[in-house]
Amino acid sequence: MPQPRHVALLAGAGAPGLTVSARDSFQISTLVCSTKLTQNVNLLGLLKWRSKPSLLAENLQKLMNVDGGEVIKFLQDTLDALFSIMMENADTDVYDTLVFDALVFIVGLVADRKFHHFNAVLEAYIRQHFSATLAYKKLISVLTQYVEQASRGEPCEPLMRTFKALEYIFKFIVRSRHLFAQLYEGKETAEFQRSLQRLFQTLNQLMKSPLEGPTLLSQVSALKYLPSILEDVFGIFDSSMLGVLLRDFIGNLLPQRLLKQKLQSLTNIVNSKVFQSYECRELLLRTTVPILQELIEKGEEEDACIELLSNILEVLYKAQKVKVKKHVQLVLERLLHTVNRRVIVLERENSFRSHYVACMAAILSQMDKDHYSSYIQAFPSRAELMDFLMETFILFKDLIGKTVYPSDWMVMNMVQNREFLRAINQFATTLTEMFLSSSSFELQLWNNYFHLAVAFLTQDSLQLENFSQAKRTSILAKYGDMRAKIGAAIRDMWYNLGHRKIEFIPGMVGPILEMTLVPELELRKSTIPIFFDMMLCEYQLTASFSRFEDEILRKLDSEVEGGRGDEQYKQLFESILLSCCRGHPELAKPGENFVALVTGLLERLLDYRAVMNDENKTYSMSCTVNLLNFYKEIDRQAMYIRYLYKLKDLHISYENYTEGAYTLLLHARLLKWSDEANTAPMQGLHSPSLHTQRQLKEALYNQIINYFDQGKMWEEAIHICKELAEQYESEIFDYEMLSEILQREAKFYEKILKVLRPSPDYFAVGYYGQGFPTFLRNKVFIYRGKEYERREDFEMRLLSPFPNAEKLKTTSPPGPDITGSPGQYIQCFTVQPVEEAKVRFKDRSIPEQITNFYKANHVQKFSYSRPFKKGPKDPDNEFATMWIERTTFVTAYPLPGILRWFVVTTTTTNIISPLENAIETMMKTNEKILSEINRHQSDPSLPVNPLSMLLNGIVDPAVMGGFAKYETAFFQESYLKEHPEDQGNIDKLKDLIAWQTPLLAEGIRIHRRKVTEDLRPFHERMEQCFVQLRAKVESQYGVREMISFEDRRSGRPRSAAWGPDWDRLSHAGDSTEAPPTPKPAPRTAESEDRRSERKENRSSTFFGYRRQETRLSVPELPEPKDDKRRLSRNMSESSLGSCDGKQPPPSREPSTAALSPSPTGFGGRVKSASKAPPLPRRISPTVYEAFLEQSDAASGGKALPSPTADGSRGLKSPPPPPPKSKRLSQL
């Protein structure tokens, strides 16, 4: 019994410095148990059975009630007692059943999980302590009785417990028989064999029973536990007889009875030593394989079937090859085709599929040439063999393309590939031998073979270059490079086709191309010549190879986009095919053209792929345009449209709606307004109901209109609306749609005038250095910036794809040291659009919202002005030596277009003299003043601040000084002596200075009207400064007076129309030599009267006032009195109005102030200056045209907003205007 003990801790026993509490204590509990002494009466009665033999039967029965732990403690003693009872009562069977049941009870205890660690004790007892030599007879006898009773359908409750203990029961039987044979030198062996045979026969009889209930449960137990005895029985029982008995044991069970248990039992039998015996294995396979075939075909108990088949194949793999050849043949003939078909039937997601594939690979791995040969010959007909090959090829291709194993299961994938390769090569031999002759050729079968072989070669798991070096080395050492083997086989099979090759063109072009694109040098060298063979084959039959060419161009696009192909392939393709073509004179020229075509496409495709996955899609757009232009040149409309939509999608993703609209417009232009069916494949999200070209074109136009609207390109949207309206009105008479489209068009007109549209900036970008892709390398592009985008933001966006690029700090073109270097250099600077002359805007008063659009759109020329010093330096006046180098860039296409940038095709450079630069600056300043005046007159609500800064910067002496600089630089007699050819330009500059005065007067008048009281002192000072400025200018350069007319019709701002040739006046020319002046044709009085009548109702091009309501520029200033003075005619009416060559009528009232315009295009009153030579009293139209030609020749394009590069120095009066593109935003 346990004895608790309490031990008090002794005071002072603790560690030094610690105080121990007297109440602390701990308790120790002990348990004393014995394996020799027991107090259990029932167990004690059995152990001492000899003392009371009469109670033996009762004690054996009471043992079942003893606690299991007590029995286990006395396990050896209890077993000794039981076998002693059995041995000492050998002559009678009175106690046999009771002892057997007690033994089963004890074995059952050991089998219990609670006591499973006593299994070793029990096995040690059997080996070392068990000595009952006659026990086997009684144990077999009782076991046979139980089985017989159950097979007759009689209740036999102990049998279930017996089957659970069957393994150890047979261990006792086998050990007993072994001891008996040792003691009696092998006597009674035949009797023992017969008893075992009778036991198995009884079990087989039990398996035949169709009864349910206890019999069924007994059959389940027999199937489960019988395999556990085979290890022990195999050594003492005849193997052939055992094989027969096991075959019958399984075979006697009804076919659909206990399928799962039967398969599990067979699996356990296969895993035992019995199946390793050749005789047993053959007998069992002949029973097992048909069962598997039937169940796999039906798809029943697949889990158990797969496990059984896998174990069979594993045993066959481990066995000696000589002895298993027949058995492999047995499995092959019945199960290979069955497994293949099951893999085909199963869904890809089915978990059993990968297991079946593993079984198939295992079967293939154990097949040799003889197996393949006999298997092929075993097919009863040629049609069945062809069906098998077709199924196998399709199955293999499917498994290769979508492998059932994860990609990182290298061993499984490589083993599968190795076996598939062996099988493919074996079946290729069958194709050549049985399906190649003219009478037996099967096109589809050969086609499937080629597609399978190419799919095998191009699968990801064989692309060794994608693996690490260690993994690649391991694969090559164990499996080799299977791509070279299958590639050689494909090449040989192709050449074996002979005259049948044409049947595979163009169908096999794509697969062969895919194979040659594999990045393995030797493979490429051996397979690229197949292309020439295809070309030659088609050429010999049709005198061209157009089908081959079309197919390879189409397939090359998808293959390279998918990641295949490289520069090495392009070079190999070019060299190998050129070499082959030159060997055949008839193919030399067309072959060279074809090679050039393919290599050109390859180059563009490789560029496209290189930038396709970049986060910045800018360069993807460029490469896409290169490709679609290429396809347009070679007339491949389907591919052209495909890339159009790729480009459109890229634009829309970046909100480039204008460019997206222009891109879609290219597709729409390919369509007709007809009911013809669409021939090209439709792209995008268009409805499949759009069957005709008219329907598709209409849908495209509506989408284009939406994109133009989003991009604020309403002028372009209006053009599309007009075309749609024409169709609705005149072709299909759909007035409802006509009404809708006209309403949309009207809204666009309204938006043009009322919605603010900031003009974009344009940037020139040069990519220099060999580090850039070929489509960028050493090229200059003009970029169209986004709304309100600063150059700094643009440069950051530009440089993001090239983090290693260096930004050049100069705007000059770099030298060979930069262009030829391996690095990357980017040059970026702002350029100004050069507006093309609009004939329809001449002599017209146009709202600036309309004209501003054309200043920054539909532009193909752009200029950049770089100032530089030339000649001796003048420290007091830098304008005398300030020259301008103006570079004009011409792009491949106008901007905007299908891209936000285009490559520069031509570049020209002109030199602008200091005088011409001064003229440009004055012209731009005057234009700015006039624009501000028009804006404020049309919209009085505009803020006055921009006008204040503009006027003050010109008239205030504190910032003025430009006139003096001009006088010092250009108006001296010494300058005229040195540059007599500049007299015309000097007069022009003086005239511009003089014409600035009335402009300033009108601006000050408006400013006075709108200025607030807080700024009244500022305005008064500005007026005082203007009085001084006006006096100076008029005294030196004459008086100019402009006529103001007020057009009450429109409150919109008008554009600055200085005359019919204002576009020409905005640029100084290169030459100042005036051409001969032709004599103008006389004008009849009648035509003049009609013109005068029309002019009375025509609006002026200045300020927007009516003719009848003239105003003085600044009423406060004294106006010269001259009764003879008359208002000069407006330029557009008098001197410039004679565009048809007619001479204007003479003035009816001559005066001292000539009624003629100035050479700069202003119309109005001109008076001579007191200190300057008088200007001509009248300038005829022809003379004026000649002067315009001189001005065009004097300058090469637009000037920069300021005369210097950095804007830190230069003319203070007038101040340089900002770029045109930013005027609207500043206003």
Side-chain angles (χ1 to χ4, degrees), residues 293-547:
Q293 182 181 16
E294 180 183 1
L295 293 178
I296 291 174
E297 287 176 350
K298 294 180 179 179
E300 298 179 3
E301 302 297 340
E302 291 191 276
D303 196 0
C305 288
I306 290 170
E307 185 180 6
L308 175 57
L309 178 57
S310 301
N311 283 278
I312 291 173
L313 294 171
E314 183 177 358
V315 172
L316 294 178
Y317 178 78
K318 292 179 179 179
Q320 296 180 3
K321 297 296 181 183
V322 177
K323 293 187 176 181
V324 300
K325 190 168 185 176
K326 182 179 179 182
H327 299 160
V328 171
Q329 186 70 35
L330 178 62
V331 174
L332 167 67
E333 291 175 354
R334 299 294 294 269
L335 293 180
L336 179 60
H337 202 185
T338 302
V339 170
N340 287 1
R341 288 186 172 181
R342 190 59 190 161
V343 174
I344 294 173
V345 169
L346 287 177
E347 296 291 336
R348 195 174 303 280
E349 296 78 15
N350 195 303
S351 59
F352 294 130
R353 201 164 187 262
S354 61
H355 298 287
Y356 278 123
V357 172
C359 293
M360 177 179 62
I363 295 173
L364 294 174
S365 68
Q366 299 184 52
M367 293 173 62
D368 55 20
K369 290 185 178 180
D370 294 335
H371 286 131
Y372 277 105
S373 177
S374 60
Y375 185 72
I376 294 297
Q377 293 172 4
F379 282 94
S381 66
R382 185 171 174 275
E384 291 184 8
L385 172 59
M386 189 175 73
D387 289 343
F388 166 75
L389 291 175
M390 292 279 278
E391 285 181 3
T392 304
F393 290 165
I394 294 172
L395 173 61
F396 282 11
K397 186 174 184 296
D398 181 66
L399 293 175
I400 289 168
K402 298 178 181 177
T403 177
V404 295
Y405 307 115
S407 58
D408 56 349
W409 286 17
M410 185 191 75
V411 174
M412 283 302 299
N413 283 313
M414 295 308 294
V415 167
Q416 173 182 294
N417 288 333
R418 181 183 62 194
E419 304 312 325
F420 280 8
L421 178 60
R422 289 180 60 246
I424 291 170
N425 288 336
Q426 292 292 335
F427 294 146
T429 304
T430 304
L431 280 182
T432 306
E433 294 174 353
M434 304 181 66
F435 296 96
L436 183 59
S437 63
S438 300
S439 59
S440 62
F441 185 76
E442 292 292 341
L443 175 63
Q444 189 58 49
L445 188 60
W446 276 84
N447 196 52
N448 285 0
Y449 165 79
F450 281 121
H451 281 83
L452 165 63
V454 171
F456 179 87
L457 189 149
T458 56
Q459 64 177 299
D460 292 339
S461 59
L462 291 185
Q463 309 314 310
L464 303 182
E465 60 278 354
N466 298 332
F467 300 148
S468 65
Q469 183 61 44
K471 191 173 184 179
R472 191 182 314 142
T473 304
S474 174
I475 292 174
L476 288 174
K478 193 169 184 179
Y479 306 100
D481 192 348
M482 290 183 252
R483 297 177 298 179
K485 299 175 184 176
I486 192 68
I490 293 172
R491 180 194 59 204
D492 296 341
M493 292 291 281
W494 171 261
Y495 289 118
N496 287 340
L497 287 171
H499 65 282
R500 297 278 185 179
K501 295 173 187 174
I502 191 62
E503 299 181 41
F504 296 88
I505 301 172
M508 277 305 299
V509 172
I512 297 298
L513 174 64
E514 187 178 357
M515 174 181 65
T516 61
L517 286 168
V518 171
E520 208 284 312
L521 181 60
E522 296 304 319
L523 175 66
R524 287 177 170 179
K525 288 181 178 179
S526 64
T527 54
I528 287 178
I530 296 177
F531 288 138
F532 175 75
D533 195 56
M534 289 180 166
M535 294 166 58
L536 185 61
C537 180
E538 184 179 356
Y539 189 85
Q540 290 173 344
L541 290 176
T542 64
S544 74
F545 46 85
S546 58
R547 294 166 62 199

Side-chain angles (χ1 to χ4, degrees), residues 139-259:
L139 294 176
I140 291 176
S141 175
V142 176
L143 180 57
T144 304
Q145 291 174 16
Y146 281 167
V147 176
E148 284 179 345
Q149 184 178 349
S151 64
R152 293 194 297 268
E154 299 175 6
C156 185
E157 189 269 337
L159 183 60
M160 299 299 295
R161 295 194 301 272
T162 301
F163 276 132
K164 291 182 180 179
L166 191 60
E167 179 181 1
Y168 283 101
I169 295 297
F170 256 86
K171 287 183 181 294
F172 283 118
I173 291 173
V174 171
R175 180 61 178 168
S176 175
R177 172 58 197 170
H178 182 69
L179 293 173
F180 183 88
Q182 282 184 341
L183 183 61
Y184 298 102
E185 298 179 353
K187 290 183 179 181
E188 302 182 10
T189 301
E191 181 182 354
F192 173 70
Q193 297 277 349
R194 284 193 297 273
S195 63
L196 276 182
Q197 184 176 352
R198 183 167 173 268
L199 172 62
F200 274 99
Q201 289 172 347
T202 307
L203 281 170
N204 293 347
Q205 193 66 29
L206 172 66
M207 303 308 290
K208 279 185 178 181
S209 176
L211 298 176
E212 301 293 329
T215 302
L216 182 65
L217 294 176
S218 298
Q219 290 173 339
V220 172
S221 297
L223 288 170
K224 182 177 181 180
Y225 295 109
L226 180 65
S228 64
I229 72 173
L230 297 181
E231 296 288 337
D232 298 304
V233 173
F234 181 70
I236 61 174
F237 199 62
D238 181 68
S239 59
S240 298
M241 180 60 67
L242 183 59
V244 172
L245 293 172
L246 290 175
R247 179 196 65 190
D248 295 341
F249 174 75
I250 297 297
N252 287 349
L253 196 64
L254 295 179
Q256 295 301 316
R257 191 177 177 90
L258 301 175
L259 289 177

Side-chain angles (χ1 to χ4, degrees), residues 645 661 664-673 686 690 693-709 716-728 741 744 748:
Y645 280 88
L664 274 187
L665 195 58
L666 292 178
H667 183 199
R669 297 302 189 203
L670 298 176
L671 302 171
K672 302 176 183 177
W673 289 115
H686 302 302
L690 305 177
Q693 293 197 31
R694 181 187 299 278
Q695 292 172 338
L696 179 56
K697 188 165 186 173
E698 181 181 357
L700 286 173
Y701 269 18
N702 281 295
Q703 192 172 0
I704 290 167
I705 291 172
N706 290 334
Y707 286 158
F708 275 136
D709 186 16
E716 298 301 302
I718 288 171
H719 291 316
I720 306 299
C721 289
K722 289 182 182 296
E723 190 171 346
L724 280 175
E726 174 67 21
Q727 291 296 314
Y728 294 147
I741 201 66
R744 294 182 72 182
F748 294 148

Side-chain angles (χ1 to χ4, degrees), residues 794-809:
F794 173 77
E795 288 180 351
M796 186 178 299
R797 180 162 59 91
L798 189 73
L799 291 169
S800 61
F802 305 105
N804 298 323
E806 180 180 344
K807 183 177 179 298
L808 295 177
K809 300 185 183 302

Side-chain angles (χ1 to χ4, degrees), residues 235 370 469 783 848 1110:
D370 294 335
Q469 183 61 44
Y783 281 73
E848 65 178 2
T1110 60

